[in-house]
Amino acid sequence: MGEDNKVTLHGMWASPYVKRVELALKVKGIPYGYVEEDLSNKSSLLLKYNPIHKKVPILVHNGKPVSESFVILEYIDETWKNEPRLFPEDPYERARVRFWASYIQQVSDCLLKVLKGEGREKGVEELFEKMKVLEDGIKNSSMGINTNIQGKDMGLLDIIIVITLGAYKVQEEVFGVKILDPERTPLLYSWITTLIELPILKGITPPHDKVVSFLQFLKEIVFNAPTN
């Protein structure tokens, strides 16, 4: 890859938004450099490239920064038009994928509330209700996913769902709450567990012990911190 087509991803290893972009780059076969950012001591490059939100991920392509994970995913798919396409070409199908991607983000937000312990019992029930909607979407084909996914044909919804729920086992272990129930949502469970086992996922998955330590830090220090 020439210097005029250089791609660099600025991220933080535990960020699901960064992992979305990292997985998309790998699915599309795009060579890239990676810069790990310390969000407690933000680098001058991070502040230069994303002065508004001052967050990761940031994708730098030909010296031009793109921020916000969903915007980056669209940029990747529109810039590198090789297969697999993350978004469908058909406008209606594209709109459908955008709708479900937005809904999965609601699931992600709900999951975060559960992990924070905000109204735990009510939150878990709300999470299961949202997952049931995903289950119905898979069952009636309105999500249009390929359940026989092989890795190199992953689309946007595969990427977002596996990054959102792919760490469910270690989250259940640390937080002591049931997240993914194979009896309640068997199709969703099958989809996620299939995706987790793909070699392309194993290449970006952090070590189990590192994730446990990070989640314990969140549980004991960050989520229990007094609010101002």
Side-chain angles (χ1 to χ4, degrees), residues 107-116 127 164-165 171 179:
V107 174
S108 177
D109 295 342
C110 187
L111 174 59
L112 181 59
K113 288 181 181 179
V114 168
L115 298 183
K116 283 182 174 181
L127 180 62
T164 298
L165 295 173
Q171 291 167 341
I179 295 171

Side-chain angles (χ1 to χ4, degrees), residues 14-216:
S15 166
Y17 298 104
V18 172
K19 289 298 177 185
R20 288 178 180 180
V21 176
E22 194 172 359
L23 181 54
L25 289 168
K26 289 186 177 295
V27 167
K28 296 283 284 186
I30 302 166
Y32 66 97
Y34 179 79
V35 177
E36 178 72 11
E37 293 284 356
D38 179 358
L39 299 184
S40 63
N41 183 26
K42 296 174 182 177
S43 71
S44 57
L45 277 180
L46 187 154
L47 298 176
K48 171 189 172 184
Y49 287 141
N50 191 0
I52 296 175
H53 296 301
K54 303 178 178 64
K55 293 178 179 179
V56 291
I58 305 167
L59 186 81
V60 184
H61 179 217
N62 296 337
K64 298 175 181 177
V66 185
S67 56
E68 298 295 305
S69 66
F70 198 84
V71 176
I72 295 172
L73 293 175
E74 285 193 304
Y75 177 83
I76 288 171
D77 207 38
E78 290 169 2
T79 304
W80 289 272
K81 296 185 181 295
N82 59 289
E83 296 294 331
R85 297 305 301 267
L86 305 181
F87 292 81
E89 289 285 354
D90 179 77
Y92 178 78
E93 291 301 311
R94 195 178 182 90
R96 177 187 54 76
V97 164
R98 281 171 164 272
F99 170 83
W100 283 111
S102 176
Y103 190 83
I104 294 171
Q105 182 58 51
Q106 293 178 37
V107 174
S108 177
D109 295 342
C110 187
L111 174 59
L112 181 59
K113 288 181 181 179
V114 168
L115 298 183
K116 283 182 174 181
E118 297 176 2
R120 174 67 61 84
E121 192 173 320
K122 183 181 178 183
V124 169
E125 199 51 46
E126 182 185 351
L127 180 62
F128 280 137
E129 286 174 8
K130 289 189 179 298
M131 288 189 181
K132 184 63 169 62
V133 173
L134 293 178
E135 180 78 5
D136 292 342
I138 300 169
K139 190 181 298 182
N140 62 30
S141 300
S142 62
M143 292 184 75
I145 63 160
N146 172 20
T147 53
N148 296 314
I149 197 80
Q150 298 298 317
K152 275 298 183 181
D153 53 349
M154 291 179 76
L156 181 78
L157 297 183
D158 299 298
I159 289 170
I160 293 182
I161 196 69
V162 76
I163 298 302
T164 298
L165 295 173
Y168 77 95
K169 286 183 182 178
V170 67
Q171 291 167 341
E172 289 178 346
E173 176 186 335
V174 173
F175 290 92
V177 59
K178 191 69 175 174
I179 295 171
L180 196 57
D181 190 336
E183 293 186 3
R184 287 198 191 204
T185 52
L187 297 176
L188 179 61
Y189 178 84
S190 177
W191 183 23
I192 291 166
T193 52
T194 298
L195 289 168
I196 291 170
E197 292 303 317
L198 294 174
I200 199 168
L201 258 295
K202 295 184 183 298
I204 69 163
T205 303
H208 177 267
D209 291 349
K210 188 176 183 180
V211 177
V212 168
S213 296
F214 180 75
L215 291 180
Q216 285 176 335

